[in-house]
Amino acid sequence: MSRTLANELTNQIGETVTLQGWLHWKRDLGGIQFALLRDRTGIVQIVVDKGVDLPIAESSMQVTGRVVQNAKAPGGLEVQANHLEFFAKALEPSPIEIPKEEWRTNPETLLEYRYVSLRGEKARASLKVQAALVRGFRQYLDSQGFTEIFTPKIVSAGAEGGSNLFAIDYFEQRAYLAQSPQLYKQIMVGVYERVFEVAPVFRAEQHATSRHLNEYLSLDVEMGFITDENDVMDLEENLIRAMLEEARTSAAPELKLLEVEWPNLAEMPRLEHAEARRILREELSMPVGPDFNEEAERALGGWAKEKWGVDFLFVTKYPEVARPFYAYPEGDGRTRGFDLLLRGLEITSGGQRVHEHAMLVEQLKKKSNDPANFAGYLEVFKFGMPPHGGFAIGAERITQKLLGLPNVRYARAFPRDRHRLTP
Ligand code: AMO
């Protein structure tokens, strides 16, 4: 037996084929039964004799039959079954009606029964687009001389400051789940100049929001021998174009199914933080602090779309008070740190980093960090670190905004949020 996939049937009209997949849906029309079989490439209509006892939807199965044209069937083809076999019959009706899966139908239920709701077409399509974005990330950076690295996720101190650290018992010591690979990717610049990592990171976010996860996939980049943060933004612009191009070419049916509105990739303007703040205050009448909250980001995104027709917007020269100790200070309260917004949501933080030992100790102290806690990290700065910088893209956030998902949770197979540890 050789298996034919749903998307290969157009070449097999009139022939007998064997398909494998899941019973997506079934309907008994008295004289005849219709079923839909779903495999990794699509959905096929199956015509089944009335005498056959079809099991519950989501049973896994094999169908042998003849491929015929039928204008009314999905894709214009159907298979007239003459033999059916079931690998594992579903034991009970799925708690989610998979063919009717809808974004807005009770999100809690979709997440609760993720082990089956993920089989829905939109859920599958979303994560497939994400896989293509991540593939594009790797491919582009490979092509630019970057080396992929794998850094520890059990660490002795937080890298991003703040209180959102998960503490764990590490034998006799206190350890933490890594908030980011920040310190390690910098150390690795001293080894390879250009590095990237694709790995989960952990944030103990106190509040459940539509854009925060407690575990997310961080797409990290770090590069040495830069002039300033503009080199880093130049790289990120091209990287994002390459990631989206990979999605556009390798996940075209998924993007179509999700009715994705393609963003403007031609321009990604760079707006200084002080100017962004002025716009928010004066033009949009919004009270703003040094770090923009969700509403401010959304307003700024809307402003940039209306004014310049852009979807991506860099906010540059973040003030020191809103950045971690490793951000390179300009000496006037600003840093060489930036954020990138997509459709009014921060999808990236990045910038140039401090590369001199003395300045780094200074910056740590300024942020009330005890340099002793960063001893292992500081060591490398005694050994000729070049000017360097980088950024991290939140994989779920870019997926969420590209696809227009209402919640970042749908951009992760098994989201961890304030109240969710299963499935
Ligand atoms: P930052 O903390 O801003 O920077 O995180 C970088 C990017 O990660 C995503 N992100 C999140 N996504 C989902 N849930 C969360 N709780 C969450 N927190 C952050 C966002 C954000 O822009 N070390 C720096 C990066 C660098 O400078 O290289 C860092 O981690 O998309």
Side-chain angles (χ1 to χ4, degrees):
M1 186 283 297
S2 89
R3 181 184 176 190
T4 300
L5 293 166
N7 70 352
E8 294 168 341
L9 293 180
T10 27
N11 309 321
Q12 315 247 22
I13 295 163
E15 288 174 35
T16 294
V17 298
T18 297
L19 298 160
Q20 294 181 330
W22 288 267
L23 179 56
H24 187 63
W25 175 88
K26 63 174 180 175
R27 183 173 219 183
D28 193 341
L29 293 185
I32 197 167
Q33 301 187 84
F34 286 107
L36 293 177
L37 175 142
R38 182 184 76 241
D39 71 14
R40 68 175 188 269
T41 66
I43 289 174
V44 187
Q45 179 162 303
I46 312 287
V47 186
V48 183
D49 275 347
K50 109 180 204 210
V52 177
D53 193 12
L54 282 174
I56 301 174
E58 291 314 307
S59 299
S60 55
M61 65 196 284
Q62 174 169 305
V63 178
T64 302
R66 218 164 73 87
V67 185
V68 299
Q69 284 179 305
N70 175 359
K72 287 193 205 135
L77 295 170
E78 65 187 14
V79 170
Q80 295 180 332
N82 50 43
H83 187 70
L84 283 96
E85 259 177 65
F86 298 95
F87 300 116
K89 291 184 180 177
L91 301 183
E92 53 190 71
S94 160
I96 307 280
E97 273 194 272
I98 291 174
K100 292 188 185 159
E101 169 220 31
E102 262 302 329
W103 293 125
R104 273 164 260 279
T105 56
N106 197 348
E108 282 308 309
T109 312
L110 288 179
L111 294 173
E112 177 101 11
Y113 300 106
R114 204 68 170 141
Y115 49 88
V116 278
S117 70
L118 280 170
R119 296 183 183 184
E121 278 191 281
K122 287 180 181 170
R124 291 167 66 227
S126 306
L127 297 185
K128 198 143 182 169
V129 171
Q130 184 176 69
L133 291 172
V134 174
R135 186 165 58 247
F137 177 85
R138 284 204 169 94
Q139 282 169 353
Y140 181 75
L141 293 170
D142 272 339
S143 79
Q144 300 298 308
F146 284 76
T147 299
E148 183 162 11
I149 58 169
F150 307 93
T151 66
K153 302 303 151 208
I154 300 177
V155 297
S156 64
E160 304 301 329
S163 53
N164 56 358
L165 273 168
F166 282 113
I168 55 170
D169 290 329
Y170 192 70
F171 307 104
E172 287 77 40
Q173 296 179 57
R174 176 48 41 118
Y176 303 95
L177 295 179
Q179 285 172 309
S180 81
Q182 184 61 38
L183 311 183
Y184 291 101
K185 67 177 178 171
Q186 289 185 253
I187 293 173
M188 294 305 278
V189 163
V191 181
Y192 295 119
E193 294 182 23
R194 300 183 148 206
V195 295
F196 71 91
E197 179 165 18
V198 176
V201 294
F202 307 89
R203 305 275 171 110
E205 305 288 356
Q206 291 304 322
H207 306 287
T209 76
S210 62
R211 62 200 191 126
H212 287 102
L213 294 161
N214 289 334
E215 177 182 26
Y216 70 89
L217 186 68
S218 188
L219 308 178
D220 272 271
V221 174
E222 200 70 20
M223 61 199 281
F225 300 101
I226 58 170
T227 305
D228 59 30
E229 76 275 32
N230 285 298
D231 290 347
V232 181
M233 285 186 275
D234 290 347
L235 178 94
E236 183 167 16
E237 276 195 31
N238 289 328
L239 171 62
I240 284 190
R241 289 188 186 109
M243 289 167 70
L244 268 76
E245 183 56 19
E246 177 61 26
R248 204 182 58 78
T249 51
S250 72
E254 285 78 14
L255 292 168
K256 190 166 167 220
L257 175 83
L258 297 169
E259 298 172 13
V260 171
E261 196 186 318
W262 209 239
N264 175 355
L265 290 170
E267 284 169 90
M268 305 184 189
R270 297 172 192 181
L271 183 68
E272 265 214 35
H273 185 277
E275 176 60 6
R277 208 169 157 175
R278 188 199 63 75
I279 291 164
L280 284 166
R281 215 182 315 111
E282 291 174 17
E283 297 187 30
L284 302 169
S285 314
M286 294 191 71
V288 280
D291 213 359
F292 299 152
N293 61 17
E294 191 181 343
E295 291 75 49
E297 282 177 8
R298 203 180 308 121
L300 207 52
W303 178 91
K305 182 77 182 172
E306 198 172 299
K307 201 93 171 171
W308 295 331
V310 297
D311 294 295
F312 289 91
L313 177 70
F314 283 102
V315 179
T316 65
K317 304 281 186 212
Y318 256 73
E320 265 183 75
V321 287
R323 295 314 260 208
F325 69 91
Y326 54 76
Y328 195 96
E330 290 282 32
D332 57 3
R334 300 179 306 160
T335 67
R336 296 189 182 169
F338 63 82
D339 274 4
L340 176 61
L341 310 185
L342 168 55
R343 296 178 168 148
L345 177 73
E346 175 202 322
I347 59 159
T348 285
S349 281
Q352 183 174 348
R353 329 295 190 183
V354 178
H355 63 278
E356 288 161 330
H357 190 273
M359 190 194 260
L360 201 52
V361 171
E362 203 50 46
Q363 292 302 112
L364 274 169
K365 285 187 192 152
K366 240 196 231 174
K367 293 269 172 194
S368 317
N369 286 307
D370 181 357
N373 291 337
F374 291 80
Y377 166 72
L378 279 167
E379 276 306 300
V380 77
F381 292 86
K382 296 176 185 165
F383 301 99
M385 283 297 288
H388 64 281
F391 54 88
I393 305 173
E396 293 81 4
R397 289 228 183 141
I398 191 173
T399 309
Q400 177 191 3
K401 291 314 279 187
L402 175 66
L403 304 183
L405 307 181
N407 194 304
V408 74
R409 286 165 184 69
Y410 297 127
R412 193 149 179 94
F414 304 103
R416 291 289 167 260
D417 62 33
R418 191 77 172 82
H419 306 287
R420 196 176 304 280
L421 259 180
T422 57

